[in-house]
């Protein structure tokens, strides 16, 4: 039978199954093939915090959405065009997102009474006509997977059944004309110690592919041509890996050894794990006994002259704050990565939110100013890490870098930077006394940056003591003098405020006639950009600006804000940045605030922006 | 300023005075801390390490003011966190001699977690634990080493907390070096410091320190009466008393018991083995108190060789470079599927 190939400019696929079904791996592989094929991509892995919730249950459903296109895209997409549901629970939790008329591929083998019951279905949706509005493709994935692995020696039925995600992947690869060799190579490498498992997975993958080719249930396959992106060498990257590479790059560009103190926490742990594998870069990783020790050890390493870094998420950051206050008072460089997740308290550990901004700015005792920057794309995490290290080293200050669970796990194609193009962020340690009488004053500041000198142990003649108690200006000796405390408090604030002169101006993506500005920060960059594209395509004039530096702000921010009639600030919190902007610049900024644990949809933002434009 | 900055002790001629900083010492007059400071400053030249390669890190409490008075590098940090901060410093700078000064509240209450984990890792730290069995800086609340029944400001009817035995705690946390000394016994304290400094890895030295304001006389029995001290020395019989008339043996149940030398003979007494692999004897010795046995062991209870964390970490870095070559950023960034557009 001859099959038709239909051209599409973009497709959104969601893989959904039990958290033990390997949906993340399936999505990852599909993304890799798609990226190598040359499409632009954006992904959104959405999984529960439980490692293995009860099989077949609604809370145990794990999903992976991938959006790919022949043009530049900014988000994983609002609604899937294709849903692959590996069991009734996956169907139940995801069907509401699937527009009517879209494609639904279901593993019929999983639609047995027990699973239907667990998902809360009174009758089988495959038989009761409730799916009539969708193009349903019933596929006996499990049966055919088991059939395909028959004859492979050393495979138990359980192991054979576990290859069913590869069957689904093979089918999707056929349906969208994806290359397959990369996945075959990947499977062979992943299971190099168990060749029989590799053989089973490859057999299932090929069976899925061939099923698509020969089965009459699929009469059309689709093609999405490669995107026209900026020329160069690309790879796929997620935010956490980009932070890892950015920290290694910062260490090289600063000519300082990298020391990471960390304690495992979702969604930040992969940064510890990936850096631990880079010891050949001279990277020391210290898995501490708790969050407090993790930041303490990083601060100790910074005292010794290293690039000290710690990483965590909200609950861990709160524990670290006392030590971060000490770092601020000691005026030592320290980079703190906060991979934000939904709070408060334990909240929803695998879901993104932007609710820690006020905590990182103000969650310490006393007047404790600390620079804050935020990454806005997975690839941008790389450059944000270098920028955080640059500010920390130059101004001898802890710096917060905010990312979130969406950036951490979401992937996009990334134009690989060349090390030759990265900035030199090295600073010198002081090695000579800084007073005419031959003495060393640890708090004798640089007139321009207000940074104090950084003398590290091992430097003869500069032995000195620092501590959390207030210090006398210059000498750094303990001081309880009232005027000195006021002076030191102001100097520390002035130093951080002065960084504004050393960061780029805020750029506005402007169109003729726009009187409304959408201002965002962090991972909302993609959804806001996609919403603005939609609106502009309809002839709506609206501008976009996105903040990377949240403390201090770019020095033209006030001027930019005052040049608009209306300002909308979408945030995945209840208005934290908006509160700051309103109080500092006295502008009537409006908010669009949702805390669902999911990134914004472009369509909902477009609606909110349009409402304000027309208001 | 030392004119020998390379760590070779041969030419290094420092005296106690060289380790005194220009800061006025601000402990209460009569505090036991003064004697410990003098002993440490007196001992430091013996190390043969230039001052710039020595770092004192402390937490919060009276004892934690210590670094300000030492003409070395120093950090007065926050409550309980000194072992964590010092661990980061020591592991990233194995060339330094890193000392931690802490107290009973700092080390065993708010910082208990950091203390036990530093000990089990065997980071190259020398931890001096000034134990005065009271919170001094906050003016007289009971501490985790105060005895049951202690009447203090926060325990008007007496403490109902069972105290820690600091040395038992350390041994239980896999400590490789555990010792005790007394603020007023400079000779003994110096000898313990000497052995602690020579130990590779974490050394915990508990120093009984009198707080003459809030807990005066807590250690008078031991300070005043040498007969109530059990001086432990490796390879020597564990005997004590005015004329060495008493000794230690171990019961079948694993407890330390006091015997008369006249009855069992010197040969029947436990000969101290600080380097024993098993921890049984050291632990039993750590349970001996004035209250239970009428004597207090001082000296080195345990001193065993174990891999040092800092060296192991450096070793892994070297091994990684040997195996994979020094890291190349461009290669790292491209070490996955890539494509050209």
């Amino acid at each position: 039978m001859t099959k038709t190939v239909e051209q599409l400019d973009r497709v959104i696929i969601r893989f959904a199954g039990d958290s033990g079904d390997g949906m993340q791996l399936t999505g990852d592989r599909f993304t890799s093939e798609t990226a190598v094929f040359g499409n632009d991509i954006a992904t959104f892995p959405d999984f529960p915090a439980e490692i293995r919730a009860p099989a077949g249950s609604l809370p145990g459903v794990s999903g992976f959405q991938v959006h790919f296109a022949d043009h530049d895209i900014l988000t994983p997409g609002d609604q899937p065009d294709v849903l692959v549901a590996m069991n009734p629970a996956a169907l139940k939790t995801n069907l509401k997102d699937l527009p009517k008329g879209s494609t639904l591929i279901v593993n019929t083998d999983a639609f047995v009474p027990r699973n239907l019951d667990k998902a809360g279905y009174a009758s089988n949706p495959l038989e009761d006509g409730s799916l009539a509005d969708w193009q349903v493709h019933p596929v006996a994935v499990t049966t055919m997977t088991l059939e395909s692995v028959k004859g492979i020696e050393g495979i138990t039925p359980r192991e054979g059944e576990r290859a069913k995600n590869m069957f689904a992947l093979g089918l999707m690869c056929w349906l969208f004309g994806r290359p397959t060799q990369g996945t075959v190579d990947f499977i062979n490498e992943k299971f190099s110690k168990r060749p029989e498992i590799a053989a089973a997975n490859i057999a299932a993958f090929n069976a899925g592919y061939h099923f698509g080719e020969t089965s009459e249930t699929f009469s059309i396959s689709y093609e999405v041509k490669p995107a026209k992106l900026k020329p160069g060498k690309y790879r796929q990257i997620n935010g956490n890996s980009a932070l890892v590479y950015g920290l290694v790059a910062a260490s090289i560009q600063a000519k300082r050894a990298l020391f990471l103190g960390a304690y495992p926490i979702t969604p930040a742990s992969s940064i510890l794990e990936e850096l631990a594998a880079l010891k050949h870069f001279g990277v020391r990783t210290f898995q501490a006994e708790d969050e407090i020790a993790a930041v303490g050890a990083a601060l100790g390493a910074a005292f010794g002259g290293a690039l000290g870094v710690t990483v965590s998420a909200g609950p861990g950051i709160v524990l670290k704050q006392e030590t971060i206050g000490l770092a601020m008072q000691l005026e030592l460089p320290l980079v703190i990565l906060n991979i934000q997740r939904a709070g408060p308290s334990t909240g929803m550990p695998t879901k993104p939110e932007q609710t820690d901004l006020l905590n990182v700015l103000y969650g310490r005792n006393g007047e404790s100013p600390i620079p804050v920057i935020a990454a806005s794309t997975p690839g941008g995490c790389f450059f944000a890490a270098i920028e955080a290290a640059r500010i920390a080293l130059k101004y001898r200050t802890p710096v917060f870098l905010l990312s979130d669970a969406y950036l951490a796990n979401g992937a996009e194609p990334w134009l690989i930077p060349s090390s030759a193009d990265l900035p030199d962020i090295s600073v010198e340690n002081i090695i000579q006394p800084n007073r005419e009488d031959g003495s060393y004053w640890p708090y004798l500041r640089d007139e321009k940056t207000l940074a104090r000198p950084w003398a590290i142990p091992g430097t003869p003649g500069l032995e000195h003591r620092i501590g959390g108690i207030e210090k006398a200006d210059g000498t750094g000796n303990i001081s309880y003098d009232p005027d000195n405390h006021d002076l030191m408090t102001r100097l520390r604030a002035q130093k951080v405020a002065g960084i504004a002169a050393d960061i780029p101006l805020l750029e506005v993506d402007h169109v003729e006639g726009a009187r409304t500005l959408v201002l965002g920060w962090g991972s909302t960059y993609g959804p806001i950009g996609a919403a603005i594209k939609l609106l502009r395509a309809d002839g709506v004039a609206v501008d976009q600006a996105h903040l990377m530096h949240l403390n201090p702000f770019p020095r033209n921010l006030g001027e930019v804000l005052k040049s608009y009639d209306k300002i909308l600030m979408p945030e995945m919190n209840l208005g934290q940045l908006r509160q700051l902007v309103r109080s500092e610049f006295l502008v009537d900024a409006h908010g669009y605030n949702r805390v669902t644990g999911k990134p914004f949809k472009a369509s909902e933002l477009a609606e909110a922006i349009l409402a304000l434009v027309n208001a | 300023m030392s004119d020998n900055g390379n760590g070779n002790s041969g030419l290094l001629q420092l005296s106690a005075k060289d380790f005194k900083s220009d800061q006025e010492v601000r402990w209460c007059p009569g505090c036991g801390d003064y004697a410990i400071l003098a002993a440490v400053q007196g001992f430091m030249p013996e190390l043969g390490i230039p001052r710039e390669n020595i770092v004192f890190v402390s937490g919060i409490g009276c004892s934690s003011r210590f670094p300000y008075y030492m003409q070395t590098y120093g950090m007065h940090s926050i409550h309980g966190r000194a072992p964590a901060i010092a661990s980061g410093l020591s592991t990233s700078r194995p060339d330094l001699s890193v000392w931690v000064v802490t107290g009973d509240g700092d080390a065993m209450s708010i910082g208990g977690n950091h203390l036990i984990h530093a000990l089990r890792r065997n980071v190259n730290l020398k931890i001096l634990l000034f134990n005065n069995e009271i919170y001094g800086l906050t003016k007289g609340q009971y501490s985790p080493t105060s005895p049951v029944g202690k009447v203090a400001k926060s325990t008007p009817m007496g403490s109902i907390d069972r105290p820690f035995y600091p040395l038992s705690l350390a041994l239980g946390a896999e400590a490789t070096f555990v010792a005790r000394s007394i603020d007023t016994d400079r000779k003994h304290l110096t000898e313990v410091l000497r052995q602690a400094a020579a130990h590779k890895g974490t050394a915990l030295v508990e120093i009984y320190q009198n707080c003459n304001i809030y807990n005066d006389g807590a250690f008078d029995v031991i300070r005043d009466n040498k007969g109530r001290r059990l001086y432990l020395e490796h390879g020597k019989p564990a005997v004590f008393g005015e004329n060495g008339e008493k000794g230690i043996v171990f019961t079948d149940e694993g407890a330390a018991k006091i015997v008369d030398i006249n009855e069992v003979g010197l040969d029947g007494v436990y000969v101290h083995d600080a380097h024993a692999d098993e921890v049984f004897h050291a632990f039993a010795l750590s349970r001996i108190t004035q209250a239970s046995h009428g004597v207090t062991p001082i000296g080195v209870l345990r001193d065993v060789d174990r891999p040092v964390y800092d060296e192991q970490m450096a070793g892994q870095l070297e091994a990684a470079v040997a195996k994979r070559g020094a890291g190349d950023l461009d290669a790292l960034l491209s070490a996955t599927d890539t494509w050209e557009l």
Side-chain angles (χ1 to χ4, degrees), chain A residues 295-321:
Chain A
V295 64
L299 180 61
F303 184 57
L307 174 59
V309 180
T310 189
V311 57
S312 192
I317 294 295
V318 174
L319 285 166
K320 293 178 195 290
Q321 286 282 30

mmCIF file of all heavy atoms in Angstrom, chain A residues 295-321:
data_model
loop_
_atom_site.group_PDB
_atom_site.id
_atom_site.type_symbol
_atom_site.label_atom_id
_atom_site.label_comp_id
_atom_site.label_asym_id
_atom_site.label_seq_id
_atom_site.Cartn_x
_atom_site.Cartn_y
_atom_site.Cartn_z
ATOM 1 N N VAL A 295 26.893 24.898 51.583
ATOM 2 C CA VAL A 295 27.280 26.286 51.308
ATOM 3 C C VAL A 295 28.486 26.673 52.163
ATOM 4 O O VAL A 295 29.356 27.429 51.717
ATOM 5 C CB VAL A 295 26.098 27.269 51.505
ATOM 6 C CG1 VAL A 295 25.626 27.324 52.940
ATOM 7 C CG2 VAL A 295 26.453 28.655 51.007
ATOM 8 N N GLY A 296 28.574 26.122 53.367
ATOM 9 C CA GLY A 296 29.720 26.418 54.230
ATOM 10 C C GLY A 296 31.028 25.981 53.587
ATOM 11 O O GLY A 296 32.018 26.722 53.555
ATOM 12 N N ALA A 297 31.024 24.765 53.061
ATOM 13 C CA ALA A 297 32.230 24.246 52.420
ATOM 14 C C ALA A 297 32.595 25.091 51.203
ATOM 15 O O ALA A 297 33.777 25.385 50.961
ATOM 16 C CB ALA A 297 32.026 22.789 52.009
ATOM 17 N N ALA A 298 31.589 25.516 50.440
ATOM 18 C CA ALA A 298 31.855 26.354 49.269
ATOM 19 C C ALA A 298 32.468 27.686 49.702
ATOM 20 O O ALA A 298 33.395 28.203 49.061
ATOM 21 C CB ALA A 298 30.571 26.586 48.479
ATOM 22 N N LEU A 299 31.976 28.217 50.820
ATOM 23 C CA LEU A 299 32.519 29.478 51.327
ATOM 24 C C LEU A 299 33.949 29.284 51.830
ATOM 25 O O LEU A 299 34.821 30.130 51.600
ATOM 26 C CB LEU A 299 31.617 30.024 52.444
ATOM 27 C CG LEU A 299 32.049 31.339 53.078
ATOM 28 C CD1 LEU A 299 32.092 32.466 52.045
ATOM 29 C CD2 LEU A 299 31.113 31.729 54.224
ATOM 30 N N GLY A 300 34.197 28.154 52.495
ATOM 31 C CA GLY A 300 35.555 27.856 52.949
ATOM 32 C C GLY A 300 36.522 27.776 51.777
ATOM 33 O O GLY A 300 37.642 28.288 51.829
ATOM 34 N N ALA A 301 36.058 27.137 50.697
ATOM 35 C CA ALA A 301 36.899 27.020 49.500
ATOM 36 C C ALA A 301 37.148 28.395 48.890
ATOM 37 O O ALA A 301 38.248 28.687 48.413
ATOM 38 C CB ALA A 301 36.228 26.093 48.490
ATOM 39 N N ALA A 302 36.125 29.261 48.927
ATOM 40 C CA ALA A 302 36.280 30.618 48.392
ATOM 41 C C ALA A 302 37.310 31.396 49.216
ATOM 42 O O ALA A 302 38.120 32.151 48.675
ATOM 43 C CB ALA A 302 34.937 31.346 48.385
ATOM 44 N N PHE A 303 37.299 31.191 50.523
ATOM 45 C CA PHE A 303 38.294 31.845 51.387
ATOM 46 C C PHE A 303 39.697 31.420 50.954
ATOM 47 O O PHE A 303 40.649 32.201 50.992
ATOM 48 C CB PHE A 303 38.032 31.467 52.849
ATOM 49 C CG PHE A 303 38.929 32.149 53.844
ATOM 50 C CD1 PHE A 303 39.000 33.532 53.915
ATOM 51 C CD2 PHE A 303 39.693 31.396 54.736
ATOM 52 C CE1 PHE A 303 39.833 34.161 54.840
ATOM 53 C CE2 PHE A 303 40.528 32.014 55.675
ATOM 54 C CZ PHE A 303 40.592 33.404 55.722
ATOM 55 N N GLY A 304 39.806 30.173 50.507
ATOM 56 C CA GLY A 304 41.091 29.650 50.054
ATOM 57 C C GLY A 304 41.440 30.022 48.619
ATOM 58 O O GLY A 304 42.483 29.621 48.113
ATOM 59 N N GLY A 305 40.539 30.754 47.936
ATOM 60 C CA GLY A 305 40.857 31.243 46.602
ATOM 61 C C GLY A 305 40.164 30.525 45.463
ATOM 62 O O GLY A 305 40.390 30.840 44.294
ATOM 63 N N ALA A 306 39.307 29.557 45.772
ATOM 64 C CA ALA A 306 38.614 28.818 44.713
ATOM 65 C C ALA A 306 37.386 29.593 44.244
ATOM 66 O O ALA A 306 36.952 30.549 44.886
ATOM 67 C CB ALA A 306 38.183 27.445 45.239
ATOM 68 N N LEU A 307 36.826 29.145 43.111
ATOM 69 C CA LEU A 307 35.514 29.622 42.700
ATOM 70 C C LEU A 307 34.508 28.739 43.439
ATOM 71 O O LEU A 307 34.280 27.596 43.054
ATOM 72 C CB LEU A 307 35.344 29.511 41.183
ATOM 73 C CG LEU A 307 33.952 29.840 40.621
ATOM 74 C CD1 LEU A 307 33.523 31.252 40.971
ATOM 75 C CD2 LEU A 307 33.924 29.645 39.105
ATOM 76 N N GLY A 308 33.954 29.254 44.514
ATOM 77 C CA GLY A 308 33.047 28.476 45.368
ATOM 78 C C GLY A 308 31.617 28.570 44.861
ATOM 79 O O GLY A 308 31.128 29.667 44.579
ATOM 80 N N VAL A 309 30.982 27.416 44.752
ATOM 81 C CA VAL A 309 29.615 27.368 44.219
ATOM 82 C C VAL A 309 28.783 26.423 45.074
ATOM 83 O O VAL A 309 29.278 25.382 45.526
ATOM 84 C CB VAL A 309 29.615 26.846 42.759
ATOM 85 C CG1 VAL A 309 28.192 26.792 42.206
ATOM 86 C CG2 VAL A 309 30.503 27.704 41.866
ATOM 87 N N THR A 310 27.519 26.775 45.283
ATOM 88 C CA THR A 310 26.599 25.823 45.865
ATOM 89 C C THR A 310 25.312 25.856 45.051
ATOM 90 O O THR A 310 25.043 26.838 44.363
ATOM 91 C CB THR A 310 26.345 26.101 47.358
ATOM 92 O OG1 THR A 310 25.602 24.993 47.919
ATOM 93 C CG2 THR A 310 25.532 27.376 47.577
ATOM 94 N N VAL A 311 24.561 24.770 45.097
ATOM 95 C CA VAL A 311 23.353 24.674 44.285
ATOM 96 C C VAL A 311 22.251 24.020 45.101
ATOM 97 O O VAL A 311 22.509 23.117 45.895
ATOM 98 C CB VAL A 311 23.631 23.883 42.987
ATOM 99 C CG1 VAL A 311 24.164 22.498 43.266
ATOM 100 C CG2 VAL A 311 22.377 23.776 42.118
ATOM 101 N N SER A 312 21.039 24.514 44.940
ATOM 102 C CA SER A 312 19.917 23.908 45.639
ATOM 103 C C SER A 312 18.609 24.388 45.017
ATOM 104 O O SER A 312 18.598 24.996 43.945
ATOM 105 C CB SER A 312 19.974 24.259 47.132
ATOM 106 O OG SER A 312 19.055 23.445 47.833
ATOM 107 N N ALA A 313 17.520 24.091 45.726
ATOM 108 C CA ALA A 313 16.207 24.617 45.377
ATOM 109 C C ALA A 313 15.633 25.233 46.650
ATOM 110 O O ALA A 313 16.255 25.136 47.715
ATOM 111 C CB ALA A 313 15.318 23.499 44.849
ATOM 112 N N GLY A 314 14.456 25.819 46.566
ATOM 113 C CA GLY A 314 13.881 26.612 47.645
ATOM 114 C C GLY A 314 14.130 26.140 49.065
ATOM 115 O O GLY A 314 14.724 26.873 49.863
ATOM 116 N N PRO A 315 13.715 24.919 49.424
ATOM 117 C CA PRO A 315 13.870 24.507 50.824
ATOM 118 C C PRO A 315 15.335 24.512 51.266
ATOM 119 O O PRO A 315 15.636 24.841 52.422
ATOM 120 C CB PRO A 315 13.306 23.080 50.838
ATOM 121 C CG PRO A 315 12.395 23.006 49.654
ATOM 122 C CD PRO A 315 13.006 23.909 48.624
ATOM 123 N N GLY A 316 16.226 24.162 50.376
ATOM 124 C CA GLY A 316 17.651 24.155 50.700
ATOM 125 C C GLY A 316 18.221 25.555 50.764
ATOM 126 O O GLY A 316 19.079 25.860 51.598
ATOM 127 N N ILE A 317 17.735 26.422 49.884
ATOM 128 C CA ILE A 317 18.230 27.802 49.868
ATOM 129 C C ILE A 317 17.919 28.484 51.200
ATOM 130 O O ILE A 317 18.751 29.202 51.757
ATOM 131 C CB ILE A 317 17.568 28.587 48.702
ATOM 132 C CG1 ILE A 317 18.018 28.017 47.349
ATOM 133 C CG2 ILE A 317 17.859 30.080 48.814
ATOM 134 C CD1 ILE A 317 19.479 28.162 47.029
ATOM 135 N N VAL A 318 16.730 28.226 51.721
ATOM 136 C CA VAL A 318 16.347 28.838 52.986
ATOM 137 C C VAL A 318 17.334 28.425 54.085
ATOM 138 O O VAL A 318 17.747 29.240 54.898
ATOM 139 C CB VAL A 318 14.904 28.424 53.349
ATOM 140 C CG1 VAL A 318 14.533 28.922 54.724
ATOM 141 C CG2 VAL A 318 13.937 28.991 52.314
ATOM 142 N N LEU A 319 17.724 27.150 54.083
ATOM 143 C CA LEU A 319 18.692 26.689 55.084
ATOM 144 C C LEU A 319 20.057 27.350 54.911
ATOM 145 O O LEU A 319 20.794 27.532 55.865
ATOM 146 C CB LEU A 319 18.855 25.169 54.980
ATOM 147 C CG LEU A 319 17.709 24.349 55.555
ATOM 148 C CD1 LEU A 319 17.812 22.908 55.110
ATOM 149 C CD2 LEU A 319 17.708 24.432 57.072
ATOM 150 N N LYS A 320 20.404 27.693 53.705
ATOM 151 C CA LYS A 320 21.730 28.257 53.423
ATOM 152 C C LYS A 320 21.830 29.745 53.748
ATOM 153 O O LYS A 320 22.927 30.308 53.765
ATOM 154 C CB LYS A 320 22.055 28.105 51.931
ATOM 155 C CG LYS A 320 22.256 26.686 51.453
ATOM 156 C CD LYS A 320 22.520 26.703 49.943
ATOM 157 C CE LYS A 320 22.389 25.358 49.291
ATOM 158 N NZ LYS A 320 23.419 24.388 49.626
ATOM 159 N N GLN A 321 20.680 30.389 53.946
ATOM 160 C CA GLN A 321 20.701 31.849 53.977
ATOM 161 C C GLN A 321 21.606 32.443 55.055
ATOM 162 O O GLN A 321 22.220 33.485 54.831
ATOM 163 C CB GLN A 321 19.278 32.398 54.124
ATOM 164 C CG GLN A 321 18.449 32.281 52.852
ATOM 165 C CD GLN A 321 18.770 33.345 51.804
ATOM 166 O OE1 GLN A 321 19.890 33.826 51.713
ATOM 167 N NE2 GLN A 321 17.778 33.711 51.022
#
